[in-house]
Amino acid sequence: MIKTKRTTSFWLMIIFILILSSCGTRKYTVKSDTKASKAADAMASLKSKPLYRFINDWAGVKYRFGGLDKSGIDCSGFAFLLEKEIYGVTLPRISREQANFARKKSINNLEEGDLVFFSFGGGSVDHVGIYLNNGFFVHASTTRGVIVDDLNLPAYQRALVKTGSVN
């Protein structure tokens, strides 16, 4: 009988300790600050659901100079198709001409669907993307295909030459 009382007391004590310790533990939520999680947040914050679907539909399509379909697309072709399908605006086909078509707008006043233009070659505009929100934009990257990217990255900040609106 003594052995049974000790065993029962032992197990009751263990259960009591477990209950107390579980009440004292706190579950921590990890907020990820990775580039991918921030890009996902930018996508989730889009006002336009058709824009969200369009980007998801084209995400990962490889870059192909002069391309205009899912077998490969270039940056100006992607901007051309997106602006036409989502906003009903017919842009010129070439990024340099798209930059001339867009009304200049301050980077601080960019809205969903505005265009961002770059010059990576040091001369005229040679790349275009579409602004989303919170410093993110979507474009057809020559190395990664259609992707959501951070406009605040130094490489983009150095090459940014114009921001504008066509809507």
Side-chain angles (χ1 to χ4, degrees):
M1 185 84 169
I2 293 175
K3 204 171 194 185
T4 310
K5 273 188 171 179
R6 278 189 182 164
T7 307
T8 305
S9 295
F10 173 76
W11 285 114
L12 286 174
M13 182 64 98
I14 294 294
I15 291 170
F16 181 71
I17 290 170
L18 287 173
I19 290 171
L20 282 180
S21 66
S22 69
C23 292
T25 61
R26 181 174 174 185
K27 294 184 171 128
Y28 293 95
T29 349
V30 177
K31 173 129 172 80
S32 180
D33 281 339
T34 65
K35 181 180 162 186
S37 70
K38 289 179 181 179
D41 287 346
M43 285 290 291
S45 299
L46 289 174
K47 295 174 191 164
S48 169
K49 295 310 167 198
L51 177 60
Y52 178 89
R53 285 189 295 273
F54 184 91
I55 294 168
N56 271 336
D57 196 34
W58 283 85
V61 171
K62 70 180 181 177
Y63 180 91
R64 183 171 49 93
F65 183 75
L68 202 54
D69 59 34
K70 298 243 174 105
S71 66
I73 192 157
D74 65 15
C75 63
S76 59
F78 182 71
F80 174 84
L81 291 177
L82 185 149
E83 291 291 335
K84 185 166 184 69
E85 187 169 320
I86 303 304
Y87 301 106
V89 175
T90 302
L91 290 176
R93 177 61 179 85
I94 299 167
S95 60
R96 184 178 346 92
E97 294 171 7
Q98 291 173 349
N100 292 333
F101 183 82
R103 292 180 312 279
K104 189 172 184 170
K105 190 173 193 179
S106 164
I107 192 167
N108 298 323
N109 295 324
L110 289 177
E111 297 176 81
E112 188 174 293
D114 287 341
L115 299 174
V116 289
F117 298 97
F118 305 90
S119 175
F120 289 103
S124 63
V125 169
D126 56 19
H127 192 67
V128 60
I130 299 88
Y131 187 77
L132 301 177
N133 57 52
N134 300 321
F136 281 83
F137 72 110
V138 63
H139 65 126
S141 162
T142 56
T143 57
R144 296 171 291 151
V146 176
I147 188 166
V148 174
D149 237 330
D150 186 348
L151 188 58
N152 295 308
L153 291 173
Y156 294 125
Q157 286 295 303
R158 282 190 299 273
L160 186 66
V161 292
K162 182 179 180 180
T163 54
S165 177
V166 294
N167 301 337

